[in-house]
Amino acid sequence: MYPLSKKIKIGKQATVEKDHFSNDEIIPSATVQFTCCDCNHKNVVEIFPYESGFPIIQMHREERVLSKSQLLDNKIVAETSEGRRHFGDLTVKDLPTLYFGTDCQNCYSKYFCVFSYGEWQPGLTLLLVSGVWKYEELE
Ligand SMILES: [Zn+2]
């Protein structure tokens, strides 16, 4: 897991085994499996709440990695609802949203994953994976 710092081009979306985790499924971590678009290897990534990932704003601030419209047009995130803007302008289902870069463990193709994590309502904590996309650095 690593942060991205250069502009990227978004590629194919990988198939994710399970993208919705709740309560006990997130303790101590959510296990996300995605299939590499190039070699079909099943990659496993462990997302640990409050440890894994980097705030999504680091991607679109000053369009450092991707612009807001690229994130919206590819349905990676959505505009946050009015009352939840403290979580940022762009989120996955109005919850605090993070991302990370990761490579296919077999062929080293580059991917990024976007997910959100938080309390959806009292007693229900969710971790939602928006998706895993292949990317290429533009520089
Ligand atoms: Zn691969």
Side-chain angles (χ1 to χ4, degrees), residues 36-41 43 104-109 111:
C36 178
C37 305
D38 289 340
C39 73
N40 284 325
H41 180 75
N43 290 281
C104 172
Q105 289 145 5
N106 182 53
C107 74
Y108 307 109
S109 290
Y111 288 89

Side-chain angles (χ1 to χ4, degrees), residues 36-89:
C36 178
C37 305
D38 289 340
C39 73
N40 284 325
H41 180 75
K42 276 193 189 201
N43 290 281
V44 177
V45 185
E46 298 278 332
I47 300 180
F48 289 86
Y50 303 115
E51 280 178 37
S52 304
F54 309 91
I56 190 81
I57 192 170
Q58 290 179 8
M59 281 193 123
H60 61 81
R61 182 190 281 150
E62 293 164 0
E63 305 193 353
R64 203 150 74 119
V65 179
L66 288 169
S67 67
K68 274 190 177 184
S69 55
Q70 283 174 308
L71 286 166
L72 290 168
D73 293 349
N74 287 283
K75 299 195 167 27
I76 296 167
V77 293
E79 296 264 9
T80 309
S81 305
E82 203 60 45
R84 295 237 173 188
R85 285 285 164 88
H86 50 283
F87 293 145
D89 294 348

